[in-house]
Amino acid sequence: MVQVNISGIMRKTEDSPTVFEVEAKNIRQLLVNLEKHYPEMKPHLDKGVAVSVDGTIYRDNWFQSIQPDSEVYLVPRLAGG
Amino acid sequence: MTHSSDFNAEKASNLKVIGTRPARPDGVDKVTGRARFGADMNLPGQLVGRILRSPHPHAIIKSIDTSAAEALDGVKAVVTRDDFAENPDNHAVLCNVMAREKALYEGHTVAAVAASTATIARKALKLINVDYEPLPHVTDVDAAMQPDAPVLHDTIFTSGVDPVPTIPSNIVARCEFGHGDVEAGFAKADIIVERELKTAATHQGYIEPHACVASVSTDGMSELWCCTQGHFDDRKICAALLGIDVSRLRVTASEIGGGFGGKTTVFIEPVALALSRKAGRPVKIVMSREEVFKASGPTASTSMRVKIGVTNDGRMTACDGEFRLQGGAFEGSPFDSAAMTAFACYDLENVKSVAFDVVVNRPKGAAYRAPGAPMSVYGVESVVDEVALKIGMDPIEFRLKNAVRDGSQSSYGPKFGPNGLVETLEAAKAHPQYKTPLGPNQGRGIASGFWFNYGGETCSNLNINADGTVTLAVGTPDIGGSRASMCMMAAEELGIPYDSVRATVVDTGALGFNEGSYGSRVTYASGLAIINAAQQAITEMCKRASMMWDIPADAVTWEDGYAKPSGANAGEFEPMSLAEIAAIAANTGGPIAGHREHNADSAGISFGTHIVDTEVDPETGRVDVLRYTVIQDAGKAIHPDYVEGQFQGGAVQGIGWALNEEYIYGDDGKLQNAGFLDYRVPVASDLPMIDTVIVEVPNPGHPYGVRGVGETGIVPPLAAVANSVSAAAGVRLSELPMSPPRVLKAMDDAKQAAE
Amino acid sequence: MSGTHVSTTINGDAVEYVCDVEETLLDVLRNRLGLTGAKEGCSTGDCGACSVTVDGRLTCSCLMLAVEAEGHEIGTIEGVANGSELHPIQQKILDHAALQCGVCTPGVVVAVKALLEKNPDPTETEVRYWLAGNLCRCTGYDKIIRAVMDAASEMRGS
């Protein structure tokens, strides 16, 4: 199981959970399983998120591997000016 | 072949071309006036396009009658909202490009004409009859958040809160980042400082107004020439808004006269295409400076609350911030990056950072250099300065005590890797400016700042020419000398002179998709693609040499521009130069090239620290910048001149933001200073030299260690200048810009309070 | 529409054109004569991107009507280099990397050339005030000022 930390717009109330657990070996599985097990996340996932794996932020790379002990955060999709 | 982007310490310490300062390949054209910018393109039979803009900050558009304009001699086409189909995927951009039910800000495009001359086009605009029903408006971010504020969109129900509101408002979204327990952290603090601060909206201020020429043929084949930071992005959005295939639209990026984020989206381009399609002739549109101010994409104004708790020995125990950003009339202010970057310099046990995205009756914001970060960092670094002062600690020592290092958890979640914040602080402490005594009415300010940097979708081609020279095809517009750095990286890898390599920014027909020149990504992402493309070409050249020598390809190595047998066992052969291999390419398998397509994800984060000395005139409140030093981690500077240039340019834009620049709205909701005279960007006589120190802590995700450098330079200066002015004036200012009247009033108020 | 006929000299060459009375010199240079080196950044005389010389005097071509060029000598960026030989200020701007996007550069070159013809040995402060009418948003001016000082020094032969 991978521990997924959420932040930003997905963190809706002071006491809402910030860590979710899903089975995932890569980013695609992570997103698919989050949507399956936590359907309330679907609107945010549909709009687009980036995934930070061990400190590197991936915007689109579905097949980036994730280890069971990887540090995983869902973060906004940012680019810059 | 596989491509590695891992840092290669041996390679990075043996670079020959990287780190030198050659002249840029486009330099002569730029100093002689030969370079062609957006407005310098003309096509045969071209018409002049002009835009009718809303005089109202907020109004229902009841009807638009274009019949009189269409009847005017010389008018070839008029377009309105009726010429653009609804497009749910790109609704906000569509509505911004051409107003639909409502005009949402003064300057919002309502109609456009194409005519044979500018005079006729201007006349035609006056003949378009628009029936408006003016509505109440709001331009201030705090006012727009009030429950009784005029609501711009009845479709906005704040997201990021639970439960979702049942009534619409101007608050698009709330976001929250952080960890720990800030209340528990504040309970441990010896001193707590909490401040409300504000920053004004500013404009990127590129000197070249938006300009484009569009030509749509009767068979639907379309061409667009424009000044843009991302012509592939423009193609995507224009094709979508016009309902044409991407393959039928070819976009060519002209030379670009500055962008800073403001040319990452479209304004006039879809309008020119629609006019050209209707008129059957090419159409050129060039914005006036007034249009640039009123109807392109400035950045957000903000209001914020920042609270920081510290122990007497200088350890931060809790940080809490709330940041409210208006992004103009549509969602999309950089609220999330403001929240994420606010406390990013500090290693914190307890931090909470909340931000709101708010809509108001102002032009739709666009990106501006490290979007969101300069404002929130201004708030945080101002309060950091104040707490350090309160506990009597040197501001650099205070920052060093709390700075993030390799492995620190960031304030927005993920752990940071190797980074150069501490190195920039140490360099600041050691810099002569930091030790120079100050005179009366003078003050010194310090601030640090952070930006993520970005990579993204990129492809580049490298072609070996028969004469031994090399041409590069790059898909990211050259906004500040990147063709030079591309040539340097190719020359470095291939082992040939810099002058043998030439780079071209090619049109959208010549390469696969490239994201634009934003996010400090060009030297990193396009450059990495060039490095990889060179490596691919080297593999092929080694193969060609092996054919000549009749030995296995893997028995050939590449060294300093030559293919060589890899060792005694491989055989004794005279090394073959790149030029020798290129000359016989036709006989050994055909042209030799390398290419690389990637989604670059390992852009290194970047930190900077700025030192600024100012003097405040107690009579007038005028601030003089006496001395300024930028210290920033570049990972590895490819062309140090242009790295310094990015540092200096960012710092000066930040100085303007701190001291002069602001969007001033009247009660009528109209912009009062839509010109350079009244908006007042910094001019040469406002400034001293801008000293620079390039720190190089390698990015582990790049073979040379490159980090993006374009954006971080604008993050610290707002706060650095504010801290300096506060020290010089003897009173803390909490609103930008620190214009003379504001500084004078703060000093007078402080004097009166003391009496 | 009846235009006005104008005879003038541009970069040493006799030039004739017909223009509308409302057209600026910048409009005519760019749109009728194909001299697009001068840029329109503001059309209000604030940015200096359209700098030319009129009888040697630095002028914003966006603030001058095209008909006013009658009988005068106009100098534009296209006439600054001597054939393929760059003017020292052009070379020094390249040497110092004193440009990023380059859109202000033609105006800066024209302005600096005019300065150094009047004042071959300007102080840094004099250069900064002379160039206060030439906005550059990319460089923060640092490298431009250094390039100007270096060009002035070289032209003085020191």
Side-chain angles (χ1 to χ4, degrees):
Chain A
M1 292 289 251
V2 175
Q3 295 213 333
V4 185
N5 298 270
I6 63 156
S7 61
I9 198 169
M10 298 175 79
R11 197 186 284 183
K12 293 186 178 176
T13 58
E14 299 276 334
D15 43 5
S16 59
T18 58
V19 184
F20 297 80
E21 287 205 336
V22 288
E23 285 290 348
K25 292 197 169 60
N26 60 39
I27 288 178
R28 177 158 169 77
Q29 290 175 6
L30 179 92
L31 296 174
V32 167
N33 288 336
L34 277 175
E35 185 175 320
K36 194 160 118 194
H37 297 295
Y38 306 100
E40 69 276 14
M41 286 192 191
K42 185 172 171 15
H44 298 298
L45 299 176
D46 284 351
K47 211 169 174 189
V49 294
V51 182
S52 171
V53 181
D54 295 323
T56 299
I57 296 176
Y58 300 90
R59 288 224 313 183
D60 299 300
N61 194 347
W62 277 348
F63 297 101
Q64 171 62 40
S65 66
I66 300 175
Q67 305 306 317
D69 60 346
S70 287
E71 176 210 73
V72 177
Y73 277 80
L74 298 190
V75 294
R77 290 170 65 84
L78 303 172
Chain B
M1 70 187 284
T2 57
H3 298 282
S4 173
S5 61
D6 293 347
F7 178 63
N8 180 336
E10 196 200 332
K11 187 174 208 169
S13 57
N14 287 296
L15 297 168
K16 296 185 173 73
V17 184
I18 304 307
T20 63
R21 302 173 184 241
R24 58 196 281 165
D26 55 317
V28 171
D29 280 0
K30 294 266 168 80
V31 299
T32 55
R34 202 178 291 135
R36 288 199 299 170
F37 289 84
D40 298 338
M41 178 67 171
N42 294 294
L43 289 177
Q46 139 194 315
L47 301 169
V48 179
R50 284 281 188 279
I51 290 174
L52 182 69
R53 300 186 178 280
S54 169
H56 303 290
H58 196 190
I60 296 169
I61 302 170
K62 294 166 77 177
S63 65
I64 307 173
D65 181 358
T66 60
S67 54
E70 280 161 358
L72 185 68
D73 260 359
V75 172
K76 306 296 181 187
V78 182
V79 295
T80 67
R81 57 194 178 186
D82 297 337
D83 295 274
F84 292 87
E86 185 49 72
N87 188 313
D89 290 344
N90 300 287
H91 183 74
V93 180
L94 173 69
C95 293
N96 190 48
V97 161
M98 184 65 75
R100 297 186 83 77
E101 292 78 18
K102 292 205 287 187
L104 291 161
Y105 55 92
E106 184 213 10
H108 199 164
T109 299
V110 172
V113 303
S116 51
T117 69
T119 310
I120 296 171
R122 271 199 302 272
K123 270 187 198 155
L125 291 186
K126 289 183 183 152
L127 294 173
I128 297 173
N129 190 7
V130 185
D131 188 7
Y132 294 102
E133 180 187 325
L135 299 170
H137 62 267
V138 60
T139 56
D140 178 75
V141 62
D142 292 320
M145 292 176 79
Q146 297 304 312
D148 59 345
V151 171
L152 273 71
H153 304 275
D154 56 16
T155 50
I156 290 178
F157 299 88
T158 312
S159 60
V161 294
D162 191 26
V164 175
T166 53
I167 52 168
S169 76
N170 297 321
I171 305 171
V172 178
R174 173 191 182 276
C175 68
E176 182 183 328
F177 297 87
H179 52 259
D181 179 343
V182 288
E183 289 317 317
F186 284 123
K188 287 185 202 157
D190 295 315
I191 285 174
I192 296 171
V193 173
E194 182 171 17
R195 290 278 171 245
E196 282 278 342
L197 307 101
K198 284 183 166 206
T199 67
T202 56
H203 195 276
Q204 299 85 353
Y206 34 81
I207 305 302
E208 178 201 35
H210 299 261
C212 68
V213 183
S215 181
V216 180
S217 175
T218 47
D219 63 358
M221 291 302 293
S222 308
E223 288 190 56
L224 179 68
W225 163 288
C226 58
C227 53
T228 176
Q229 288 178 248
H231 48 315
F232 291 88
D233 295 311
D234 291 354
R235 178 182 65 170
K236 188 159 100 182
I237 188 76
C238 286
L241 296 187
L242 273 291
I244 55 180
D245 293 344
V246 163
S247 62
R248 284 176 175 256
L249 175 58
R250 185 162 69 103
V251 184
T252 305
S254 69
E255 294 294 338
I256 175 172
F260 317 109
K263 289 177 183 166
T264 57
T265 184
V266 294
F267 301 103
I268 54 176
E269 294 81 358
V271 178
L273 283 162
L275 284 168
S276 175
R277 178 159 70 180
K278 209 164 182 178
R281 284 169 62 174
V283 174
K284 180 173 180 175
I285 299 181
V286 180
M287 273 194 186
S288 68
R289 179 55 54 182
E290 185 182 352
E291 287 178 295
V292 172
F293 276 114
K294 288 185 175 174
S296 63
T299 192
S301 62
T302 69
S303 85
M304 62 193 116
R305 179 187 56 77
V306 176
K307 183 178 176 185
I308 295 177
V310 295
T311 56
N312 282 329
D313 64 350
R315 183 73 189 123
M316 294 161 93
T317 60
C319 290
D320 178 20
E322 181 176 292
F323 307 92
R324 309 146 205 133
L325 286 81
Q326 64 76 18
F330 299 91
E331 68 174 286
S333 77
F335 74 123
D336 36 17
S337 48
M340 293 167 78
T341 53
F343 299 106
C345 289
Y346 301 109
D347 189 356
L348 301 166
E349 272 178 41
N350 308 295
V351 55
K352 180 177 166 188
S353 186
V354 171
F356 293 94
D357 182 15
V358 181
V359 293
V360 303
N361 295 111
R362 297 187 186 212
K364 176 177 172 22
Y368 182 15
R369 214 167 192 160
M375 307 82 132
S376 62
V377 167
Y378 156 69
V380 170
E381 289 291 279
S382 293
V383 176
V384 164
D385 195 61
E386 200 171 341
V387 292
L389 208 64
K390 280 219 160 115
I391 60 170
M393 198 164 169
D394 173 88
I396 294 181
E397 292 298 344
F398 181 87
R399 285 174 173 82
L400 278 169
K401 185 152 194 169
N402 294 283
V404 288
R405 290 167 159 80
D406 185 3
S408 299
Q409 186 184 9
S410 71
S411 61
Y412 58 89
K415 283 194 179 62
F416 281 136
N419 68 80
L421 175 59
V422 166
E423 285 78 357
T424 67
L425 286 162
E426 295 287 1
K429 201 165 70 173
H431 195 278
Q433 182 180 351
Y434 200 59
K435 304 181 179 97
T436 309
L438 294 167
N441 301 314
Q442 296 180 355
R444 178 164 296 143
I446 295 289
S448 297
F450 162 80
W451 186 247
F452 306 92
N453 294 333
Y454 180 55
E457 291 182 79
T458 313
C459 47
S460 306
N461 288 358
L462 178 150
N463 291 295
I464 309 285
N465 302 318
D467 66 351
T469 64
V470 171
T471 44
L472 309 178
V474 183
T476 41
D478 180 350
I479 204 159
S482 60
R483 273 166 292 193
S485 51
M486 297 302 138
C487 293
M488 291 172 75
M489 286 182 267
E492 183 73 51
E493 290 295 323
L494 296 169
I496 59 174
Y498 166 78
D499 279 339
S500 298
V501 189
R502 279 291 179 271
T504 305
V505 177
V506 297
D507 69 55
T508 56
L511 277 178
F513 181 77
N514 275 270
E515 291 188 59
S517 300
Y518 48 71
S520 305
R521 73 179 215 89
V522 172
T523 304
Y524 161 70
S526 280
L528 190 50
I530 289 290
I531 291 169
N532 292 159
Q535 290 162 346
Q536 190 186 32
I538 286 170
T539 302
E540 182 64 21
M541 288 189 287
C542 288
K543 187 181 129 198
R544 303 294 176 93
S546 77
M547 292 163 71
M548 296 298 291
W549 297 333
D550 199 17
I551 62 173
D554 60 7
V556 179
T557 57
W558 190 262
E559 205 180 305
D560 293 336
Y562 287 83
K564 294 177 179 171
S566 55
N569 293 343
E572 293 248 337
F573 302 101
E574 269 299 294
M576 286 185 80
S577 71
L578 181 146
E580 287 166 336
I581 296 168
I584 55 166
N587 310 102
T588 57
I592 301 170
H595 63 98
R596 172 69 166 140
E597 300 76 33
H598 65 165
N599 204 341
D601 285 316
S602 53
I605 55 169
S606 160
F607 290 92
T609 298
H610 292 201
I611 315 170
V612 53
D613 297 349
T614 61
E615 179 169 332
V616 173
D617 179 356
E619 301 286 312
T620 63
R622 181 198 148 94
V623 176
D624 273 318
V625 180
L626 304 174
R627 191 167 176 184
Y628 203 106
T629 300
V630 181
I631 303 157
Q632 187 177 314
D633 179 15
K636 178 69 197 174
I638 298 295
H639 191 308
D641 276 345
Y642 291 104
V643 171
E644 292 162 5
Q646 290 296 321
F647 291 6
Q648 292 164 333
V652 168
Q653 284 184 318
I655 290 170
W657 203 333
L659 294 178
N660 305 317
E661 298 178 36
E662 77 181 297
Y663 264 53
I664 301 170
Y665 280 90
D667 292 339
D668 58 1
K670 297 186 184 189
L671 183 62
Q672 296 185 329
N673 59 335
F676 275 139
L677 187 64
D678 298 317
Y679 178 79
R680 194 59 173 78
V681 302
V683 304
S685 54
D686 293 340
L687 297 162
M689 293 299 189
I690 308 294
D691 199 2
T692 56
V693 178
I694 301 174
V695 168
E696 293 184 329
V697 176
N699 168 14
H702 187 281
Y704 310 157
V706 166
R707 299 175 189 270
V709 298
E711 294 171 287
T712 304
I714 202 172
V715 182
L718 282 61
V721 175
N723 292 341
S724 173
V725 169
S726 295
V731 53
R732 186 154 291 274
L733 281 87
S734 57
E735 189 170 358
L736 301 185
M738 295 174 292
S739 55
R742 219 171 253 160
V743 173
L744 198 59
K745 183 171 185 307
M747 286 195 294
D748 287 349
D749 289 351
K751 210 183 291 168
Q752 276 175 9
E755 278 166 5
Chain C
M1 187 187 308
S2 59
T4 302
H5 178 268
V6 176
S7 299
T8 184
T9 305
I10 299 179
N11 300 329
D13 296 332
V15 172
E16 293 182 54
Y17 54 81
V18 175
C19 65
D20 298 339
V21 287
E22 68 189 42
E23 280 179 273
T24 65
L25 177 59
L26 179 63
D27 291 335
V28 166
L29 289 174
R30 291 183 51 82
N31 302 335
R32 294 188 185 271
L33 302 177
L35 295 170
T36 56
K39 310 299 179 193
E40 180 171 310
C42 66
S43 79
T44 50
D46 297 312
C47 79
C50 66
S51 296
V52 299
T53 54
V54 179
D55 301 331
R57 184 178 170 168
L58 185 62
T59 302
C60 287
S61 61
C62 74
L63 294 182
M64 178 172 159
L65 291 173
V67 294
E68 294 179 289
E70 175 74 35
H72 292 288
E73 301 233 356
I74 310 297
T76 73
I77 181 65
E78 286 86 354
V80 173
N82 182 12
S84 60
E85 187 191 336
L86 295 180
H87 186 279
I89 183 57
Q90 292 174 311
Q91 187 59 50
K92 290 301 178 189
I93 284 177
L94 294 181
D95 295 347
H96 287 263
L99 75 160
Q100 282 174 36
C101 80
V103 79
C104 72
T105 309
V108 169
V109 168
V110 169
V112 172
K113 179 170 177 277
L115 166 67
L116 298 182
E117 281 166 7
K118 280 167 74 95
N119 179 0
D121 191 11
T123 64
E124 182 192 323
T125 301
E126 285 172 332
V127 173
R128 287 188 177 275
Y129 276 88
W130 183 268
L131 286 180
N134 290 84
L135 301 183
C136 170
R137 191 60 160 172
C138 294
T139 66
Y141 305 101
D142 181 297
K143 292 181 189 299
I144 295 177
I145 305 299
R146 291 179 199 276
V148 176
M149 300 305 285
D150 193 9
S153 166
E154 182 176 292
M155 288 170 73
R156 289 193 308 273
S158 54

